[in-house]
Amino acid sequence: MSIKQPTIEQSRVLLNRSDEIIVRGCQGHKRSHDMLSMGYPVFTQRASGARFWDVDGNEYLDYLMGFGPILLGYNDPVVNQAIRTQIEEGTIYSTAHPKELEVAEMLIDLIPMAEMLGFFIGGSAATSGAVRLARAHTGREKIIRCGYHGWHDWTQPEGIGVPELVGQLTLSVPYGDPDALGDCFRQHDNQIACVVMETIQGDGPPEGFLQECVDIAHRYGALCVFDETKVGFRVAYSGGSEYYGVTPDLATFGKACCNGYPGSFVVGRKEILSSKSCQSAWLAATFHCDLPSLVALEVVISEMKRRDGIAYQWKIGNRLIEGVNQACEAGGLGYRLSGLGPMPKPNVVEEERDRCIAMLQGCLARGFYLHPGHPMFLSLSHTEDDVEDTIMAVQESIADLK
Ligand SMILES: Cc1ncc(COP(=O)(O)O)c(C=O)c1O
């Protein structure tokens, strides 16, 4: 029995208004027009737990979770209470606040390779901070990147609006190819400050690849920076580094660590971060020790530990991957989830794109927001029943295609 598609008229109206006055309509990377044309809502009114309500009043079980930042759940009561208490005392001061030190100590206890750290706001600022530190430490200017690291100039070497001279300092290598990385270092011997590697891309690294990144960088006197922005606090607290047992020189975190608040941080070895050059590099910004973010981060760490949050994400994520894939295989549909449990990655067989989108629209109609391409995210608010209901929605939506 096919189900009526939800009305998303208010999303359309708001997007048209936004196009007139907001650069790129709204939240550029969210590709709102593409999503809207596929029947996805693009404006949310409110969210709670694992669910959100769009501006047309439709309710969805969310599998995107703000593109990763929501880990405990939207509107989490423990985070909210802690933030309320902090707001009563102020959110920014003319001096430092002890919370900075307390949270730094928690992170150093939590993340095995962390001996010192710096706080930032947003993942892009953290990755740029790590690059600044690596340049300061090595006295070199070029960097190698691999993956998505944000929107700052160095991350988009060929981007519109990025000076060619700046772009020339960033070299790019393919993921999972140590030979290409070695060649790149060889060709720019003595010039590379660091390689910035997004540790888990797609289905993860080939065996030994992350260790090779560290070894190759060190062979050429450079640093290895792991970008754990997306995977930190998900596959493991320290992301790919901890999951694969590899120690980089610096690592960056953001997204899930503050459950929707914008704090981020860079951790590293003391030998590097305490050096005169790193201590002299300018990394300060007005909001870098944003107290609501620090308070949220403190709650996230304690709630994740109390609720065994890493194991839980793996459990429900693996079940989602298994159940959705079985349903699609049985129904003869070219939509599959791959990747690691806490971040299932959708794959669509190109020739079957229209049928896959129709299946996803069936899920939307049933109140389940699954994505056609972006890695998805679980949270501690998704229940095991939610996941079973999702698998059933996929089965029913496939049956509707016939
Ligand atoms: C791996 C990685 N690094 C860095 C960033 C940039 O983070 P932000 O968008 O918070 O600036 C992202 C964002 O998606 C990311 O996935």
Side-chain angles (χ1 to χ4, degrees):
M1 183 202 54
S2 93
I3 290 195
K4 199 167 155 296
Q5 287 303 304
T7 301
I8 49 170
E9 197 43 38
Q10 281 309 311
S11 272
R12 192 182 313 282
V13 169
L14 294 181
L15 187 57
N16 288 340
R17 271 174 58 196
S18 299
D19 280 341
E20 296 299 319
I21 56 169
I22 298 179
V23 182
R24 299 195 63 167
C26 58
Q27 296 274 14
H29 78 292
K30 293 186 178 168
R31 300 183 194 93
S32 304
H33 284 278
D34 294 348
M35 296 305 282
L36 191 78
S37 69
M38 287 188 277
Y40 281 79
V42 294
F43 277 85
T44 297
Q45 193 64 50
R46 67 187 175 90
S48 181
R51 290 179 164 71
F52 75 92
W53 287 261
D54 72 9
V55 285
D56 286 277
N58 304 302
E59 175 181 337
Y60 302 92
L61 180 70
D62 193 6
Y63 281 105
L64 207 51
M65 306 313 282
F67 283 78
I70 305 298
L71 176 59
L72 304 179
Y74 290 107
N75 196 15
D76 180 78
V78 189
V79 175
N80 286 357
Q81 187 50 52
I83 300 265
R84 259 185 231 113
T85 306
Q86 184 60 51
I87 287 173
E88 294 294 323
E89 296 182 4
T91 60
I92 189 164
Y93 307 106
S94 309
T95 69
H97 185 282
K99 189 65 73 187
E100 291 172 34
L101 186 57
E102 288 160 25
V103 176
E105 284 168 349
M106 282 177 99
L107 289 170
I108 285 168
D109 278 351
L110 185 74
I111 298 178
M113 54 83 62
E115 292 172 349
M116 285 182 83
L117 59 84
F119 290 113
F120 295 85
I121 284 289
S124 299
T127 56
S128 292
V131 165
R132 170 83 48 93
L133 287 161
R135 283 176 165 151
H137 187 69
T138 58
R140 300 172 177 179
E141 292 195 338
K142 289 188 182 168
I143 51 175
I144 302 174
R145 64 140 198 196
C146 179
Y148 179 75
H149 310 294
W151 70 276
H152 292 179
D153 281 358
W154 69 270
T155 70
Q156 308 285 334
E158 279 144 29
I160 297 172
V162 176
E164 209 180 314
L165 277 175
V166 174
Q168 282 165 6
L169 296 177
T170 297
L171 310 159
S172 303
V173 291
Y175 185 58
D177 185 345
D179 294 339
L181 183 63
D183 286 346
C184 194
F185 268 108
R186 224 178 343 271
Q187 281 160 22
H188 302 268
D189 198 12
N190 281 321
Q191 299 173 63
I192 309 282
C194 64
V195 52
V196 186
M197 178 61 56
E198 187 184 347
T199 51
I200 302 179
Q201 303 178 36
D203 296 340
E207 206 185 327
F209 174 66
L210 294 177
Q211 186 60 55
E212 283 184 279
C213 292
V214 176
D215 295 344
I216 293 169
H218 289 178
R219 201 173 307 142
Y220 287 90
L223 300 185
C224 184
V225 179
F226 279 178
D227 180 350
E228 309 280 18
T229 309
K230 196 158 65 197
V231 300
F233 288 64
R234 292 228 171 248
V235 299
Y237 287 109
S238 330
S241 154
E242 185 178 339
Y243 186 66
Y244 294 105
V246 180
T247 306
D249 299 298
L250 302 174
T252 74
F253 295 81
K255 293 233 187 210
C257 68
C258 300
N259 201 54
Y261 288 84
S264 60
F265 58 95
V266 175
V267 299
R269 291 193 284 116
K270 194 164 197 162
E271 177 205 341
I272 297 168
L273 293 180
S274 66
S275 66
K276 191 156 177 276
S277 50
C278 285
Q279 294 285 342
S280 311
W282 186 253
L283 297 167
T286 309
F287 291 106
H288 270 178
C289 284
D290 174 52
L291 269 165
S293 293
L294 293 180
V295 166
L297 179 46
E298 187 178 37
V299 172
V300 166
I301 295 172
S302 59
E303 283 297 285
M304 283 285 287
K305 282 186 173 168
R306 187 180 70 78
R307 295 158 69 180
D308 202 5
I310 300 288
Y312 185 71
Q313 290 178 81
W314 275 97
K315 183 174 164 192
I316 56 171
N318 281 340
R319 173 62 192 138
L320 183 75
I321 293 173
E322 175 195 61
V324 167
N325 287 350
Q326 273 169 1
C328 291
E329 199 171 334
L333 183 72
Y335 181 88
R336 291 286 184 283
L337 299 180
S338 63
L340 307 183
M343 302 179 330
K345 182 183 175 311
N347 304 276
V348 167
V349 172
E350 209 35 54
E351 303 78 62
E352 285 201 53
R353 191 163 183 83
D354 289 349
R355 291 184 76 231
C356 292
I357 301 299
M359 181 278 283
L360 293 171
Q361 288 168 343
C363 290
L364 287 172
R366 290 171 168 84
F368 297 88
Y369 187 104
L370 292 161
H371 205 271
H374 197 279
M376 296 191 282
F377 301 95
L378 280 303
S379 76
L380 273 57
S381 293
H382 288 83
T383 65
E384 293 182 54
D385 285 349
D386 284 337
V387 170
E388 295 308 322
D389 291 347
T390 308
I391 295 165
M392 199 176 299
V394 170
Q395 281 166 349
E396 290 172 4
S397 302
I398 295 174
D400 284 350
L401 301 177
K402 292 185 178 130

